Amino acid sequence: RRRFIPAALAVLALFALALGVARPQAERSVPRDKATVMLAIDVSGSMSAEDVSPTRLEAAQKAALQFADEMPRTFQVGLVAFSGSASVIVPPTTDREQLRNGIRQLVPDGDTAIGDALLTSLRAISDSQGGVAVPDSARILLLSDGTNRTGTSLEEALPQIQAAKVPVYTVALGTPDGTLFNGQPVPPSPETMRSVAESTGGQSFTAEDASSVNDVYRNLGRFIGTVREQHDVTDWFVAAAMALLVASAAAWWRWGVRLG
């Protein structure tokens, strides 16, 4: 039966070579060169709840600071704070110290205007990219513990985000049993966050403690810092074909000659 081995190896070599001629592609993650990322952080009164230690907002600030440190230095990162309205605290910048200072100054107060936060973030991105958000080069990271209670409705805001092709990654922060110091319940709304993410091509996450907030931001940093690209793997198949041809020749010399 060994007499068929050289022929089989030769056939496999021809098959690998034929695949190589077709110029096959493989997808891989490569580091992004540049991107603009807006952190939109909820600073409404419910963010003072202590179900996430020490408070929801302080846990979010700590994670955002770590996120800022881990982002590639070529990335522009900005900060929007929102409660009853939304405002740009730090426009997109590569100055990480300015960003860190902006994150540290956040304090909780007021209601929740998620729609305004999204549109304010989009405008900040557009302003930093020449007036129009460049598709696949911008992301919004939205961290909130509630539903949209005031300002622009999500029904009005989301179509504009979708038209700009800017994915929104959301983090629903807090536990279902979260309360304020006066006993008022403030459960998070992961359904709202999930709807925002899914409708814009992003992903949604939940975080019920400080550790999970850090984990979410760390994972988001890795994801945003890379892009999936098609990579030509023709060389792999050509190399495999050559190796199989050598093996076929060796097998023929080993067994083919003697059987002849």
Side-chain angles (χ1 to χ4, degrees):
R1 289 178 293 183
R2 290 180 300 183
R3 73 179 65 187
F4 299 108
I5 293 177
L9 290 172
V11 169
L12 288 174
L14 291 174
F15 181 69
L17 192 59
L19 290 176
V21 170
R23 302 190 67 82
Q25 303 283 314
E27 195 175 66
R28 66 176 181 178
S29 294
V30 297
R32 288 182 182 273
D33 292 329
K34 294 181 180 179
T36 301
V37 180
M38 288 301 299
L39 299 175
I41 298 181
D42 188 346
V43 293
S44 61
S46 58
M47 291 291 284
S48 63
E50 298 178 352
D51 55 335
V52 179
S53 180
T55 68
R56 292 178 178 180
L57 180 56
E58 289 178 79
Q61 288 172 298
K62 182 179 179 181
L65 288 169
Q66 180 178 340
F67 176 85
D69 288 338
E70 294 181 356
M71 277 288 92
R73 295 297 172 180
T74 56
F75 281 27
Q76 294 190 103
V77 185
L79 174 65
V80 164
F82 67 97
S83 52
S85 60
S87 58
V88 177
I89 305 301
V90 180
T93 179
T94 57
D95 185 342
R96 295 296 184 257
E97 188 58 32
Q98 182 184 358
L99 179 62
R100 285 190 287 267
N101 289 337
I103 293 171
R104 294 188 186 105
Q105 74 179 41
L106 301 179
V107 292
D109 181 48
D111 216 327
T112 309
I114 296 175
D116 287 346
L118 294 174
L119 294 183
T120 301
S121 297
L122 179 61
R123 283 193 293 271
I125 290 171
S126 299
D127 289 344
S128 72
Q129 296 186 336
V132 180
V134 179
D136 199 39
S137 70
R139 300 287 187 272
I140 297 174
L141 269 59
L142 174 70
L143 188 147
S144 178
D145 65 352
T147 57
N148 194 49
R149 299 182 183 280
T150 188
T152 307
S153 69
L154 290 179
E155 289 74 17
E156 182 180 349
L158 288 176
Q160 298 182 54
I161 305 296
Q162 294 165 346
K165 298 182 179 180
V166 176
V168 181
Y169 295 82
T170 65
V171 182
L173 180 63
T175 65
D177 299 326
T179 59
L180 297 179
F181 66 93
N182 60 2
Q184 177 185 345
V186 284
S189 179
E191 297 81 9
T192 299
M193 297 291 98
R194 188 178 306 113
S195 174
V196 169
E198 291 178 352
S199 66
T200 60
Q203 294 185 11
S204 61
F205 303 86
T206 59
E208 296 190 350
D209 55 48
S211 175
S212 59
V213 178
N214 288 333
D215 289 343
V216 166
Y217 267 71
R218 189 178 300 111
N219 290 332
L220 285 172
R222 294 194 189 101
F223 184 81
I224 291 172
T226 61
V227 61
R228 301 294 291 179
E229 289 187 351
Q230 293 295 321
H231 174 61
D232 191 312
V233 293
T234 299
D235 291 347
W236 297 1
F237 287 90
V238 172
M242 296 302 296
L244 288 167
L245 283 173
V246 170
S248 175
W252 183 262
W253 180 84
R254 176 73 182 273
W255 295 304
V257 174
R258 294 181 182 178
L259 290 173

